[in-house]
Amino acid sequence: MLRATLAFTLAGLTFSALADTVPAPVNAKVKMTAGQPVVLSFSDGREAELKVVNSRSRVVSEKIEITGSDCGNWGMTCNYKFAFRRFWVAMIWTKNPDASRLGQAVQRAFANVDSNGKMTVVESSFEELIIDSGFISGLIPKAYPKIAAGLPRHQLQCSDFSWLPAGTKEAPAQQRFTRWETVDNRENPETGLSENRPQGGVQELVMTRVKPDTLEITSALNPTGLVHFFDLVTLAPMLDLAIAQPDNNICQASLSTLGTTEFRAVYDELESKRASLAIAPSYIYGQDETLDLISINQYLTFWFRLDLSNAVYR
Amino acid sequence: MKKLILSVIFILVSAASATPTSLSDAGFLRKASLRIRGLMPSPEEYRQLKALSDPAERAIFLQQKISEYLASPEAEDRMVFRLSERFQVRTPEIDLSTLNKIPAEQRTTISPGAGARDSMTDLFARLSRENLSWDYLLTGHDYNAFARSNDLFRAGDHMFFRALFPNLPESPNGTYDSSNETAPAPIPLKFEPDDLRVSGVLTTPRFLSRYVTTNINKNRRRAAAVFRIFLCDPMFPIIPPPPDRKSAVLATAFSDDVHSGMIDMKLGQKLDAMIKMGDAQRHGSDPRCMACHYKLDPMGRVFQNIGLALSPSPAPGKLTYARANTNEKIAIPLRGVGDLGQALVQQPEYVSCQIDWFWKEFIGSDIPLSTERKADLTTQFEAVGRRTNDFIRTLVNAPEFRTKPQVSETISFPQVQNLLKRCDTCHASEGYIPSFYDGRLSHKTLLGMRHRLNLPDGHKDKMPRDWMKWDVKDLNTVKMWLEQGAISDSNQPQLTPVDLKESP
């Protein structure tokens, strides 16, 4: 009720110099129905639809260092090999009186209202409702059978595996990791201070030996992530692992990625695919697991459950 | 009924024995209302009280008001705010623009925005709403999982609990309408009482996000928070805060992260080098470090499997500490975090710590709590089954509650901190003396400071220099602070009575 009242009030306010180009605040609604396109509709009649495009899969191998382990030795370097696809998700205008916006990603900004009731929108504050850093890999194919189809499993190749509880140079037959998480330096919302925080990961990750120097991830459960994690387990400066020991105690190890040059190169190369969003077919809710993957990262929550009473779209 | 009669008798006795230092009935009503629900009594309530001339009727009226206040939604909100502060998490946002439009005397709530809950604040509120045992903070095994999260950078309830409740919605379904304010109903999650994987507030995403763990920290910060909040063990680290942490207030507020200057530096820079140098090992064997780490490390292990999400597997650990009075070593094996909560509530230090907290919150830290009185309150805490509202009622009806506030004359570090900053203008460049402003001066420096401040005018070593033109009042404040033991930012005296016995 409060929000509706505010929206009504704001609509009567005077806009600043940008008033001619900025639509007034409106209510936005996202409708998600199985078998139907996902539609973002506005109270002024405009509409946008969710569209998704995927890149081809690419294989990369990145070096990581075992920077600490209370399970065994540390200091050695390994290679982490995986294949991934990149995807983009955006809200694309399908109904808009401004024809130049059709086929473009919806942009949103939040208006400021000064003490005199004058409303302003800063041009540079407009942001596209687009996800441009999504990945899918073969980490948890069971969870994403459609979008991970054909992607090989992740592999960890080390000349020395004595950082694991078995303590052997050769890979153990199997190793269970109760927690495998990426860590990055980001603001803690509870304190406002930047600190190293887990950003995403999986639980109950099991690696199985495929060669004396190679373990392969054969299962992993419960992917979680904040902003920058979809299902890759290496894309952060550091990894924090909780490792099951034979006596059921847990030990911990930390891994550092030694740059992600190869990954970044492939990532950038795939950027051109983004342009095809405008001509992509409408995404049908339930056609694959893309939205599940996005929702894990709460993107939709972020887009549409904020206080949108003074949001403007174009 | 028996409780009410006893309370009425008590109030009658208290009122009859009121002294100039004790509160009137109106003052009592005001204090009870503010302490329980954070609001002033309404003018109507004052009028009703004034209209009652019979002391017995007034006592009954006051008891009815206490019951009413304890049952109010504002008392829930107040509890949420109190515990948010105690756990040092972000408090629910208050919609001031709405609140300020309501005249103070007509406000029926302190926080129109506090209704937005998560599993942690919901647990805080339920302690008050359902008059739960205070132990439920640690032994609770059912939660309400809330879907709404306005924060992209925080793990929400659904993400956190989904590993154990796969039926929690994985993806949004249906319609989101920005004009619709109705939040989805929370989903109740129930664990078995002996489930080793959960432990009340300790297994909520906000607690774990506040006291974040990393590969170096290894859950010690979480353990330190548990020791501090539930056993009143200050766990103040010996490692100074980062050099850029100039505010002692900040350092106090976030004392748990003072290690961050060493271990949470930008990744990929000095961290690896530091580990290679063996600091981690030295940290684990230095006796000064081990004074805390022998307690932190074993407890931290029960959190090892918990990251952004609650783990399907419990991790073993140990509750280890030494009793303050007897030095008796406590070592309780834990099969998981669930055992930790159960073990903590059985510790006498836990009960003592909680009573201290209740006393401070409801009676006031200006009223001293004697050992005998504390023992008496411990008995009463147990007699009411440690239930939250029942114990608050006990405190509100305590004779000390009617005591008028006493002004503390102890000078705290924040009172002198900005004054000491003036010392830094010259001394900071000397290098061998740490910043006065930071308050981490050596014992020798503090003694030297006391000596030089008290030298006769004109002495070559007299501080502060004349040209600094200190206000006499400010100078006396600093001198008084030193004479009171130079209370540090962690509220510890830095000069002993023996030091102060010596003439400056």
Side-chain angles (χ1 to χ4, degrees):
Chain A
M1 184 60 197
L2 170 66
R3 191 166 290 156
T5 307
L6 277 175
F8 175 78
T9 308
L10 289 172
L13 295 175
T14 311
F15 274 84
S16 70
L18 286 170
D20 291 343
T21 56
V22 177
V26 287
N27 288 331
K29 188 186 288 187
V30 181
K31 194 167 187 183
M32 305 173 78
T33 309
Q36 300 290 322
V38 177
V39 178
L40 170 64
S41 59
F42 298 92
S43 50
D44 59 5
R46 291 177 297 165
E47 280 187 7
E49 286 185 5
L50 190 79
K51 298 201 175 188
V52 179
V53 292
N54 287 287
S55 72
R56 287 179 303 160
S57 66
R58 304 297 291 257
V59 177
V60 293
S61 178
E62 298 292 355
K63 283 198 185 318
I64 55 175
E65 183 182 359
I66 316 301
T67 49
S69 171
D70 55 21
C71 311
N73 299 324
W74 45 274
M76 54 285 280
T77 304
C78 302
N79 285 308
Y80 192 89
K81 188 177 171 186
F82 58 95
F84 74 101
R85 284 195 194 101
R86 193 174 169 200
F87 64 84
W88 291 261
V89 178
M91 285 291 181
I92 302 293
W93 285 114
T94 52
K95 283 187 193 172
N96 192 321
D98 178 357
S100 68
R101 298 300 301 156
L102 294 172
Q104 303 295 312
V106 175
Q107 295 181 344
R108 183 175 67 190
F110 291 94
N112 299 311
V113 184
D114 68 17
S115 55
N116 297 318
K118 188 177 178 183
M119 175 172 271
T120 54
V121 179
V122 178
E123 174 69 23
S124 60
S125 67
F126 274 100
E127 290 182 327
E128 290 183 322
L129 294 188
I130 185 167
I131 294 174
D132 61 358
S133 57
F135 310 101
I136 181 68
S137 75
L139 176 64
I140 315 176
K142 273 188 189 169
Y144 312 116
K146 290 180 182 167
I147 51 179
L151 291 170
R153 289 170 168 168
H154 296 209
Q155 289 189 338
L156 182 64
Q157 183 263 325
C158 303
S159 56
D160 182 357
F161 272 106
S162 64
W163 56 279
L164 291 174
T168 53
K169 279 212 161 201
E170 284 195 2
Q174 198 166 66
Q175 180 61 56
R176 172 175 158 242
F177 300 79
T178 52
R179 182 169 57 84
W180 181 305
E181 287 186 323
T182 56
V183 176
D184 203 354
N185 195 284
R186 292 189 184 276
E187 182 182 302
N188 186 331
E190 298 293 349
T191 62
L193 300 175
S194 286
E195 57 186 346
N196 292 347
R197 303 174 58 220
Q199 297 297 307
V202 290
Q203 297 173 331
E204 297 298 332
L205 182 148
V206 175
M207 286 187 167
T208 305
R209 182 167 65 185
V210 291
K211 292 182 199 167
D213 68 346
T214 306
L215 288 171
E216 188 170 85
I217 297 178
T218 44
S219 65
L221 299 175
N222 309 324
T224 53
L226 297 179
V227 185
H228 296 285
F229 175 80
F230 283 101
D231 88 331
L232 299 179
V233 291
T234 59
L235 292 181
M238 192 166 278
L239 302 170
D240 179 19
L241 317 182
I243 305 173
Q245 295 177 293
D247 61 1
N248 282 332
N249 278 313
I250 305 294
C251 57
Q252 284 183 254
S254 54
L255 281 58
S256 282
T257 49
L258 299 175
T260 49
T261 317
E262 192 177 344
F263 174 79
R264 290 291 162 197
V266 175
Y267 181 94
D268 292 343
E269 182 191 326
L270 296 175
E271 177 70 23
S272 59
K273 190 77 179 173
R274 172 181 170 150
S276 59
L277 267 171
I279 54 169
S282 296
Y283 181 81
I284 305 299
Y285 187 59
Q287 74 178 50
D288 60 28
E289 307 90 6
T290 305
L291 279 189
D292 289 347
L293 204 56
I294 296 168
S295 71
I296 284 170
N297 291 268
Q298 305 183 31
Y299 260 106
L300 288 178
T301 301
F302 183 60
W303 278 0
F304 299 113
R305 284 193 178 171
L306 291 171
D307 181 354
L308 299 174
S309 55
N310 62 341
V312 291
Y313 299 85
R314 67 178 188 187
Chain B
M1 190 60 190
K2 186 183 167 190
K3 210 184 298 175
L4 179 65
I5 292 168
L6 285 173
S7 301
V8 168
I9 291 170
F10 174 77
I11 281 195
L12 282 168
V13 171
S14 300
S17 61
T19 68
T21 58
S22 69
L23 296 171
S24 64
D25 283 348
F28 175 85
L29 181 69
R30 179 178 180 277
K31 185 174 176 181
S33 179
L34 282 170
R35 291 287 158 97
I36 295 172
R37 57 179 196 157
L39 288 172
M40 295 281 281
S42 68
E44 179 58 25
E45 287 173 326
Y46 280 124
R47 277 193 290 274
Q48 288 171 346
L49 178 65
K50 198 176 174 186
L52 298 170
S53 54
D54 180 353
E57 285 180 358
R58 290 166 78 91
I60 290 170
F61 175 80
L62 291 174
Q63 284 306 309
Q64 285 169 342
K65 284 294 150 192
I66 292 170
S67 299
E68 206 176 286
Y69 295 160
L70 284 169
S72 68
E74 291 76 29
E76 278 179 43
D77 281 345
R78 189 79 189 97
M79 185 59 77
V80 169
F81 278 91
R82 281 180 202 281
L83 287 174
S84 296
E85 190 178 312
R86 193 174 189 202
F87 282 81
Q88 298 182 357
V89 294
R90 193 170 63 181
T91 50
E93 288 173 11
I94 300 174
D95 184 354
L96 288 175
S97 60
T98 306
L99 192 65
N100 289 338
K101 289 175 189 162
I102 308 169
E105 66 277 9
Q106 292 174 19
R107 284 179 197 161
T108 55
T109 177
I110 53 170
S111 54
R117 302 264 192 236
D118 52 77
S119 55
M120 179 191 230
T121 49
D122 180 67
L123 180 53
F124 293 165
R126 284 174 55 208
L127 288 170
S128 167
R129 186 170 67 240
E130 300 173 26
N131 191 19
L132 295 174
S133 162
W134 193 249
D135 297 353
Y136 212 70
L137 267 178
L138 284 166
T139 61
H141 51 269
D142 59 342
Y143 300 88
N144 284 317
F146 289 74
R148 173 174 279 188
S149 168
N150 287 343
D151 199 330
L152 192 57
F153 302 96
R154 187 206 310 260
D157 286 337
H158 285 199
M159 178 197 287
F160 182 74
F161 288 109
R162 191 175 295 133
L164 304 183
F165 288 90
N167 291 335
L168 279 172
E170 274 201 19
S171 58
N173 202 348
T175 300
Y176 291 163
D177 184 346
S178 65
S179 63
N180 181 5
E181 282 216 317
T182 310
I187 298 173
L189 308 175
K190 289 199 185 300
F191 292 86
E192 293 298 319
D194 57 352
D195 196 311
L196 295 173
R197 301 168 299 181
V198 290
S199 176
V201 71
L202 303 187
T203 42
T204 57
R206 289 193 65 199
F207 175 82
L208 296 158
S209 171
R210 167 62 181 87
Y211 300 102
V212 71
T213 189
T214 63
N215 26 18
I216 304 297
N217 174 271
K218 290 192 168 67
N219 296 292
R220 290 168 184 133
R221 190 182 291 181
R222 291 170 176 171
V226 171
F227 271 105
R228 195 176 61 249
I229 296 166
F230 292 106
L231 299 175
C232 290
D233 184 333
M235 284 288 163
F236 199 79
I238 59 167
I239 299 168
D244 59 347
R245 182 65 54 77
K246 288 291 182 193
S247 163
V249 176
L250 265 183
T252 304
F254 302 117
S255 59
D256 59 286
D257 72 0
V258 293
H259 283 69
S260 63
M262 187 181 78
I263 62 168
D264 282 347
M265 59 187 68
K266 283 283 181 189
L267 289 164
Q269 295 175 4
K270 297 178 185 170
L271 186 58
D272 295 349
M274 187 197 79
I275 294 170
K276 283 169 187 164
M277 286 190 301
D279 274 19
Q281 282 81 352
R282 192 160 69 239
H283 194 208
S285 57
D286 187 316
R288 293 172 305 161
C289 304
M290 287 312 292
C292 287
H293 280 269
Y294 89 93
K295 298 180 265 191
L296 296 177
D297 296 6
M299 184 189 286
R301 289 187 194 113
V302 299
F303 294 102
Q304 280 184 120
N305 287 341
I306 309 173
L308 281 174
L310 193 54
S311 171
S313 313
K318 198 180 278 186
L319 172 61
T320 307
Y321 67 101
R323 294 242 140 89
N325 297 335
T326 62
N327 210 28
E328 178 194 355
K329 298 284 189 296
I330 305 299
I332 302 171
L334 309 168
R335 295 167 297 167
V337 70
D339 275 353
L340 173 61
Q342 296 290 350
L344 283 168
V345 299
Q346 292 170 34
Q347 304 309 306
E349 289 82 0
Y350 160 80
V351 176
S352 167
C353 178
Q354 304 317 302
I355 286 174
D356 280 343
W357 182 81
F358 272 105
W359 181 273
K360 182 173 78 65
E361 291 291 317
F362 290 93
I363 303 291
S365 52
D366 55 313
I367 313 285
L369 173 60
S370 69
T371 309
E372 297 75 24
R373 185 70 178 110
K374 193 169 181 178
D376 177 43
L377 283 175
T378 302
T379 307
Q380 295 183 56
F381 187 54
E382 301 296 359
V384 296
R386 301 186 181 184
R387 282 187 298 278
T388 305
N389 288 350
D390 292 350
F391 190 59
I392 294 172
R393 183 191 294 278
T394 300
L395 290 171
V396 171
N397 284 319
E400 296 89 346
F401 191 83
R402 276 200 177 249
T403 307
K404 283 186 175 169
Q406 296 170 6
V407 178
S408 167
E409 291 182 357
T410 303
I411 297 172
S412 64
F413 178 70
Q415 286 174 269
V416 296
Q417 187 179 21
N418 276 322
L419 302 175
L420 296 179
K421 194 174 185 179
R422 299 185 207 171
C423 307
D424 285 339
T425 53
C426 295
H427 292 291
S429 61
E430 292 173 354
Y432 53 86
I433 298 178
S435 163
F436 283 76
Y437 180 75
D438 279 353
R440 297 180 185 281
L441 298 166
S442 70
H443 184 249
K444 187 179 169 188
T445 304
L446 284 166
L447 285 177
M449 187 176 165
R450 179 171 176 254
H451 171 71
R452 295 181 75 179
L453 288 181
N454 286 287
L455 286 171
D457 289 343
H459 193 286
K460 67 179 177 60
D461 292 331
K462 171 76 176 171
M463 285 289 160
R465 301 297 190 199
D466 289 342
W467 55 266
M468 291 287 287
K469 298 193 186 311
W470 273 60
D471 185 277
V472 175
K473 192 178 152 204
D474 289 346
L475 188 56
N476 286 339
T477 302
V478 174
K479 285 182 178 178
M480 181 68 81
W481 172 68
L482 288 164
E483 293 310 311
Q484 289 177 348
I487 305 296
S488 72
D489 53 356
S490 57
N491 264 331
Q492 300 299 316
Q494 301 175 90
L495 296 177
T496 66
V498 176
D499 296 327
L500 298 168
K501 215 172 167 183
E502 297 289 324
S503 163

